[in-house]
Amino acid sequence: MKQTQLGTSSLKVNRLGLGCMGMSEFYGESDDQQSIATLHSAIDLGVNFFDTADMYGSGHNEELIGKAFAGKWNQVVLATKFGFIRDAKGGFAGLDCSPAHIKAACEASLKRLNTEVIDLYYAHRVDPNVPIEETVGAMKSLVDAGKVRYIGLSEASSADLHKASREATITALQTEYSMWSRDVEADILATCRELDIGFVAYSPLGRGFLTGAITSRDSLEDGDFRLHGPRFQEDTLEKNKAFLQLIERIGKDKGITSAQVALAWVLNQGEDIFPIPGTRKVSRLQENLAALDVKFSNAELADIRANLPTAEGGRY
């Protein structure tokens, strides 16, 4: 599979990575053996870019990945994140991007992953209580210590990216981007390109909605965090089906699935954009990877752009 340089780093990753969050929580029940089989299949299919975080499953996701990739680290570029704090019951207990926490979080992640170095280490969010220069400075010290190879930010503003880049080289920004979440087009993408920062798009399938698989709230399991999402309430869900009508039309015209339309659209927004759709199933992984072969002409992209609705409801 073709690999592309991520930012100005030496990391070479495939344009379509794999988000691993759902293998531990948020999207209903999961099975570790199935997840590991999917992770191994991803490597076999040429995927080398994987995304996790210390808060996914309160550490379970990193442990799962550490188990799956034992003996395979030379085939993997792994990104993980720090910042969100979980309590003993799995509840959210705040955000901490202080230097002391960053150092401790990194050591804990390395232990769970059972590896000596993290390829790409993100601040999961910008901590309003800690100057970003302090956060990035502490992350840079991890690079200097050989614990981390490159650093990134998630959901940072253009102003934050400029401040952070004056402190250290930022390899990647991870932020939500899809046909129904296009906020980054206002200025974030331009800033990333100005600063040579790779853009990693999470939830490129609109948390599964853009695949057409979620036709009502009944499509979601009890405990699925999307049930609390503004875009998945009964009234907004119905209005957002305007996206599905457009995507289905495009898919029919090109002979591809709705998921492939949604992923290909993001991929076609620039060679410096790296979507990381999540899945627990090999069949979905194969379907997603086929989007790499889908090309839209300038005329097709213009037509899609002219007909894209505005999403009803906020992202969170």
Side-chain angles (χ1 to χ4, degrees):
M1 188 182 296
K2 178 185 175 183
Q3 295 182 349
T4 302
Q5 181 181 3
L6 184 63
T8 58
S9 75
S10 65
L11 300 176
K12 300 282 189 177
V13 300
N14 47 286
R15 289 285 311 288
L16 203 65
L18 179 60
C20 303
M21 180 182 78
M23 295 177 178
S24 293
E25 66 174 333
F26 298 115
Y27 289 108
E29 293 295 322
S30 60
D31 177 86
D32 284 359
Q33 291 307 309
Q34 180 190 48
S35 295
I36 289 173
T38 300
L39 290 165
H40 288 172
S41 292
I43 291 177
D44 292 341
L45 290 166
V47 176
N48 76 329
F49 191 29
F50 298 85
D51 183 88
T52 183
D54 61 2
M55 61 85 78
Y56 298 161
S58 297
H60 171 269
N61 205 242
E62 288 184 329
E63 291 173 350
L64 177 75
I65 285 173
K67 181 178 179 181
F69 291 156
K72 300 177 183 290
W73 286 111
N74 64 328
Q75 302 175 70
V76 169
V77 173
L78 182 74
T80 191
K81 315 176 198 71
F82 69 86
F84 284 115
I85 309 300
R86 306 291 292 269
D87 62 28
K89 295 183 179 180
F92 288 90
L95 181 67
D96 188 349
C97 292
S98 65
H101 176 72
I102 293 169
K103 183 178 180 180
C106 181
E107 293 295 340
S109 287
L110 287 169
K111 184 176 180 179
R112 284 189 292 265
L113 291 164
N114 194 26
T115 190
E116 295 179 353
V117 63
I118 294 166
D119 296 309
L120 178 60
Y121 202 36
Y122 291 107
H124 212 149
R125 291 291 187 275
V126 175
D127 188 339
N129 298 313
V130 180
I132 195 163
E133 293 88 348
E134 288 186 21
T135 295
V136 172
M139 296 170 76
K140 185 176 182 296
S141 70
L142 294 174
V143 175
D144 296 337
K147 304 285 187 179
V148 169
R149 295 182 67 194
Y150 297 98
I151 61 179
L153 300 172
S154 182
E155 294 282 351
S157 69
S158 288
D160 288 330
L161 289 173
H162 279 286
K163 290 178 185 177
S165 293
R166 287 193 285 270
E167 189 70 28
T169 299
I170 305 301
T171 291
L173 173 73
Q174 181 178 136
T175 296
E176 185 170 355
Y177 186 37
S178 68
M179 295 177 85
W180 80 343
S181 291
R182 307 188 297 276
D183 303 6
V184 297
E185 294 179 342
D187 63 340
I188 297 294
L189 284 177
T191 299
C192 285
R193 286 164 178 159
E194 174 193 348
L195 300 173
D196 289 324
I197 297 171
F199 185 89
V200 178
Y202 77 80
S203 294
L205 293 172
R207 297 185 171 88
F209 178 75
L210 301 178
T211 67
I214 303 170
T215 56
S216 72
R217 287 170 59 81
D218 292 336
S219 304
L220 304 174
E221 296 180 30
D222 290 343
D224 191 309
F225 91 113
R226 289 171 291 189
L227 289 168
H228 304 288
R231 295 183 182 179
F232 291 89
Q233 303 311 301
E234 288 185 10
D235 56 339
T236 51
L237 191 66
E238 196 61 34
K239 292 175 182 176
N240 283 325
K241 287 182 180 178
F243 284 94
L244 303 185
Q245 295 166 6
L246 172 63
I247 291 170
E248 288 168 5
R249 172 177 69 78
I250 299 166
K252 185 176 180 181
D253 289 344
K254 296 189 77 70
I256 58 177
T257 68
S258 293
Q260 289 162 353
V261 170
L263 290 175
W265 182 85
V266 177
L267 287 163
N268 276 262
Q269 301 309 305
E271 291 288 324
D272 53 352
I273 296 175
F274 301 82
I276 50 167
T279 186
R280 299 184 292 240
K281 298 179 180 179
V282 174
S283 59
R284 290 296 188 192
L285 174 65
Q286 293 170 326
E287 177 186 356
N288 291 347
L289 290 174
L292 288 164
D293 297 323
V294 178
K295 302 299 179 187
F296 290 116
S297 67
N298 289 336
E300 287 174 322
L301 288 171
D303 178 66
I304 294 170
R305 179 72 63 175
N307 288 284
L308 274 175
T310 298
E312 294 289 337
R315 294 196 291 130
Y316 291 98

